[in-house]
Amino acid sequence: MNMTKMKKLFFALIGGVLLMIYLFVRSQREITITLGMFTGSNWDVYNAESYKVIDDAIEKFEKEHPNVTIEYKSGILKQDYSAWLASNIASGDQPDVFMVLAEDFNKLSSLGALMPLDDLIKANNVSTDIFYESALSSGSYQNTQYALPYEINPTMMCVNRDLLEKEGIAIPEGNWTIEEFYQICAQVTKDTDGDGTIDQYGSYGFKWQDAVNGYGIRLFDEEGASSNLNQSDVREALSYIQKLKDLNKGYQVSSEDFDKGNVAFCPLTFAQYRTYQPYPYRVSKYSTFKWSCLAMPGTTANQKTSQIATSLIAINSKTTQQQLAFEFLETLTIDQEIQQELFENSQGASALKSVMASDSTKALLDQDAMSNYSLKQDVLDDIIENAVIEPKFKKYNNVIERCDYLITNALNENKIDDELVDIEKEIDNLLK
């Protein structure tokens, strides 16, 4: 073989190798992970930075994975998201990674739309102990983890410190009881100006579900096959709500009463606490009274009493990029830097214990203590740690919504004793 032919062969080989390298690199750079999400806050409060944390998480992930691009469709409103996601699932075009609304989680898990994560969690050496148990359990269905918590929103009790101090009543401790709550409400409910009309009240917004949680009641069996509504402890909890209402002599306490400082207690979510918008959120901006937050009351100390809402993120069960999808899920939910940024730029809390215990989180909460309202870091940690874990069965969301409608109406009409048997029968029929 002469030199010319050898050169041609050499350059052909080099060209072939370069082409293969180019095609390989090109194929690697063509990997796209799609993300499903909605705009705004998951907690129905104003959030001008709804895309900031997501965009920063994408930027960080793409820097660590130069061959991957994350794409998402912007502008989907929360109220349209469930229908949008259902349509994509029906057409086989669902995103690789997507947010799951709490009301959709049980159904999507049972239908097989979400990828089981247990094996991926184990293979990637992820310790689930980093999450609050209440938050992690929100993404579990029938003992399988199908989603990880992105953000949480616990409910807590707002206490009007000025009103209690005026009445000579000590601010309750974190392990206060539901009986203590009632006694304080009874003590402060009165006519303060002598005109014959009650103008100071014990509570606003304390609902029957709060009483049920306070009594530590499970309304359904674990399988969701039957309800426990017509039981003595449920009747006691609902009777408790009636007693609270009776203190006001038929007057319907309003948000305006609370905002004026005329109500001692009001449950509110952490997102409401952090949002400076018109009522029910303007209390933190416009109120002239001092207030604090503590755990919801229960029948015993350290009881799980506070409700917690969780924003979940899952992986498409049919994704072709299982490992990359999980790594992106880790960036959104486990990465300390991203989760700390989420806490600082949204209204919710992080599901990571380390973020909620960080100095940065303490500094943010301590800023509130300089004003008329405060929530201590250890109190918030205790509220989340002892949050109520909701049942996980397919029909739960529909059934609890119907329960709320029927029980609320019966309480408003003062007919709960007569109607609870029928309510239980209707709910059990729905569960069949």
Side-chain angles (χ1 to χ4, degrees), residues 35 136 163 194 230 240 247 264 281 340 349 365 385 399 410 429:
L35 170 65
L136 184 67
L163 192 153
N230 188 30
Y240 180 91
L247 291 174
Y281 318 122
Q340 187 68 56
L365 293 173
E385 191 72 57
V399 168
N429 285 334

Side-chain angles (χ1 to χ4, degrees), residues 66-354:
N67 61 315
V68 181
T69 298
I70 305 293
E71 291 184 355
Y72 66 85
K73 180 180 178 181
S74 62
I76 304 170
L77 299 177
K78 181 185 175 185
Q79 59 263 35
D80 301 327
Y81 182 73
S82 292
W84 175 84
L85 185 60
S87 175
N88 278 266
I89 290 174
S91 64
D93 196 31
Q94 65 264 46
D96 295 295
V97 180
F98 52 93
M99 291 183 174
V100 180
L101 296 179
E103 56 265 33
D104 296 333
F105 174 74
N106 291 346
K107 179 173 66 176
L108 292 177
S109 299
S110 65
L111 292 175
L114 312 182
M115 175 171 290
L117 300 179
D118 294 326
D119 289 343
L120 284 166
I121 288 172
K122 184 177 180 180
N124 287 272
N125 297 314
V126 174
S127 171
T128 55
D129 291 339
I130 63 177
F131 296 107
Y132 287 102
E133 180 188 1
S134 55
L136 184 67
S137 68
S138 297
S140 175
Y141 183 80
Q142 295 185 350
N143 299 317
T144 298
Q145 199 71 37
Y146 285 100
L148 293 181
Y150 174 65
E151 188 179 12
I152 56 177
N153 188 24
T155 298
M156 49 203 181
M157 184 68 83
C158 170
V159 185
N160 185 331
R161 300 205 312 262
D162 283 353
L163 192 153
L164 294 193
E165 289 170 7
K166 181 187 70 172
E167 296 292 339
I169 301 171
I171 306 299
E173 299 293 331
N175 59 351
W176 65 321
T177 67
I178 202 162
E179 181 58 32
E180 184 180 358
F181 173 56
Y182 177 79
Q183 290 174 356
I184 296 175
C185 287
Q187 189 173 343
V188 303
T189 302
K190 61 177 62 175
D191 170 17
T192 62
D193 58 12
D195 67 354
T197 302
I198 296 174
D199 51 29
Q200 182 173 280
Y201 313 95
S203 68
Y204 165 73
F206 191 85
K207 297 180 171 58
W208 70 269
Q209 296 98 322
D210 299 315
V212 165
N213 291 335
Y215 276 86
I217 298 168
R218 296 179 65 91
L219 292 177
F220 310 96
D221 63 12
E222 290 188 8
E223 294 77 23
S226 64
S227 68
N228 305 312
L229 293 173
N230 188 30
Q231 303 292 326
S232 59
D233 54 356
V234 177
R235 286 185 175 275
E236 185 178 355
L238 298 181
S239 176
Y240 180 91
I241 290 294
Q242 196 64 57
K243 283 170 56 181
L244 277 179
K245 292 177 61 176
D246 290 344
L247 291 174
N248 304 319
K249 307 297 183 185
Y251 178 75
Q252 193 79 23
V253 182
S254 69
S255 58
E256 185 177 359
D257 294 315
F258 175 72
D259 199 38
K260 288 179 178 178
N262 297 329
V263 183
F265 300 108
C266 175
L268 78 168
T269 68
F270 184 63
Q272 291 170 337
Y273 171 84
R274 301 186 75 188
T275 303
Y276 303 166
Q277 292 295 319
Y279 201 86
Y281 318 122
R282 75 166 179 262
V283 61
S284 55
K285 185 174 182 179
Y286 297 112
S287 289
T288 58
F289 61 91
K290 296 177 182 178
W291 56 286
S292 300
C293 292
L294 65 158
M296 300 290 282
T299 52
T300 60
N302 300 318
Q303 181 183 320
K304 296 181 182 296
T305 56
S306 295
Q307 205 77 29
I308 187 171
T310 307
S311 174
L312 298 167
I313 301 184
I315 296 175
N316 171 10
S317 61
K318 298 179 180 178
T319 182
T320 59
Q321 300 294 339
Q322 178 175 305
Q323 179 59 31
L324 283 173
F326 185 79
E327 290 176 19
F328 182 51
L329 177 63
E330 286 185 282
T331 302
L332 292 170
T333 61
I334 295 176
D335 187 282
Q336 176 89 15
E337 180 184 11
I338 295 300
Q339 278 291 308
Q340 187 68 56
E341 182 184 352
L342 175 69
F343 180 78
E344 294 171 4
N345 288 278
S346 73
Q347 291 82 12
S350 173
L352 293 181
K353 297 177 183 178
S354 58

Side-chain angles (χ1 to χ4, degrees), residues 5 61-62 116 120 134 210 263 334 355 358 368 380 424:
K5 288 184 177 180
F61 181 82
E62 289 181 343
L120 284 166
S134 55
D210 299 315
V263 183
I334 295 176
V355 169
S358 72
D368 296 338
L380 179 58
E424 184 183 59

